[in-house]
């Protein structure tokens, strides 16, 4: 009988990570590779070199939804078979008061944060069902999946919508061994939050609100992500796992 730590291993798993060339997506790809997975990191501007052992870079824009089947074809060629897991780390943000929020920015955020991950999971899930491959889909949610924050109406709408997708796909695919969950990062310093971190007052206000009294480090997501991608969470589907230093508990 294998030990509990063996259930966290991703040896032999083929994983596709979007937004995998920088920020949280890069840290997620690295953590998955360190757990044994073969990873393809998709980004519009991927690095020229491999991020880490077991990671391959693939240029692609998930917002171009018509090209998603071709993108998955390329990823499967690089991985040598059907994708076992997909991690949706690509995302964008636009900050504006609700009364001033531009329609073109609303549509851009919705397309990248909500429509694209659904259509990518739709394509990967279709192939997994056809091939009889069990798998794990991990969406990236947010604090705004469960609570309200000002000036980010489109982002909040997409991250709330992500959980609707997670629950629906989890229920549809559970009997076929495909699990669908979400990971919810709190405040990490990334390109999406840099303007907040540049504001001393805003930064200190956020820090006071976090029970652990620190911001997240990108590698803080690795343990939770490996758990959701591995057999350690074999009976977990349709769930949101927050990694927020206690923000949503306070």
């Amino acid at each position: 009988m294998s030990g509990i730590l063996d259930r966290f291993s991703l040896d032999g798993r083929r994983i596709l990570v979007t937004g995998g060339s920088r920020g949280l997506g890069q840290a997620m790809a690295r953590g998955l590779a360190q757990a044994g997975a073969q990873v393809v990191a998709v980004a519009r501007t991927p690095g020229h070199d491999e991020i880490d052992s077991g990671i391959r870079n693939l240029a692609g824009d998930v917002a171009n939804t018509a090209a998603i089947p071709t993108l998955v074809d390329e990823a499967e060629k690089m991985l040598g078979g059907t994708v076992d897991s997909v991690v949706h780390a690509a995302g964008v943000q636009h900050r504006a008061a609700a009364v001033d929020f531009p329609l073109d920015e609303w549509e851009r955020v919705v397309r990248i944060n909500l429509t694209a991950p659904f259509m990518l999971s739709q394509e990967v899930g279709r192939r997994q069902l056809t091939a009889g491959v069990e798998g794990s889909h991990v969406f990236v949610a947010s604090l705004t999946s469960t609570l309200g924050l000002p000036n980010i109406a489109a982002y909040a709408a997409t991250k709330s919508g992500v959980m609707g997708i997670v629950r629906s796909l989890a229920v549809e695919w559970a009997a076929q061994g495909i699990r669908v969950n979400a990971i919810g990062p709190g405040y990490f310093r990334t390109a999406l939050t840099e303007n907040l971190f540049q504001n001393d007052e805003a930064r200190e206000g956020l820090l006071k609100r976090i029970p652990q009294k620190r911001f997240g480090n990108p590698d803080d997501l690795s343990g939770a992500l490996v758990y959701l991608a591995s057999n350690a969470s074999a009976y977990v589907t349709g769930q949101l796992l927050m990694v927020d230093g206690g923000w949503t508990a306070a």
Side-chain angles (χ1 to χ4, degrees), residues 6-7 32 65 71 74 111 130-131 143 151 166 195 199 216-218 224 246:
D6 294 331
R7 301 189 67 189
L32 294 167
T65 54
L71 185 70
E74 291 299 316
R111 184 176 70 255
T130 298
L143 295 173
N151 302 320
V166 166
N195 62 331
N199 183 314
N217 298 313

Side-chain angles (χ1 to χ4, degrees), residues 69-90:
T70 301
L71 185 70
V72 179
D73 285 341
E74 291 299 316
E76 290 185 338
K77 288 178 184 177
M78 298 171 78
L79 292 168
T82 303
V83 171
D84 296 298
S85 299
V86 57
V87 179
H88 301 287

Side-chain angles (χ1 to χ4, degrees), residues 90-156:
V92 295
Q93 174 66 287
H94 182 79
R95 296 181 183 275
V99 294
D100 299 319
F101 211 99
L103 178 59
D104 60 340
E105 286 296 335
W106 175 278
E107 292 176 339
R108 181 179 73 96
V109 174
V110 170
R111 184 176 70 255
I112 296 172
N113 290 4
L114 189 63
T115 304
F118 167 72
M119 296 194 71
L120 179 56
S121 265
Q122 180 187 55
E123 181 65 25
V124 172
R126 183 184 293 120
R127 297 178 188 217
Q128 291 172 329
L129 291 167
T130 298
V133 172
E134 296 185 352
S136 172
H137 295 229
V138 182
F139 287 73
V140 175
S142 161
L143 295 173
T144 60
S145 298
T146 61
L147 50 82
L149 295 173
N151 302 320
I152 52 172
Y155 186 82

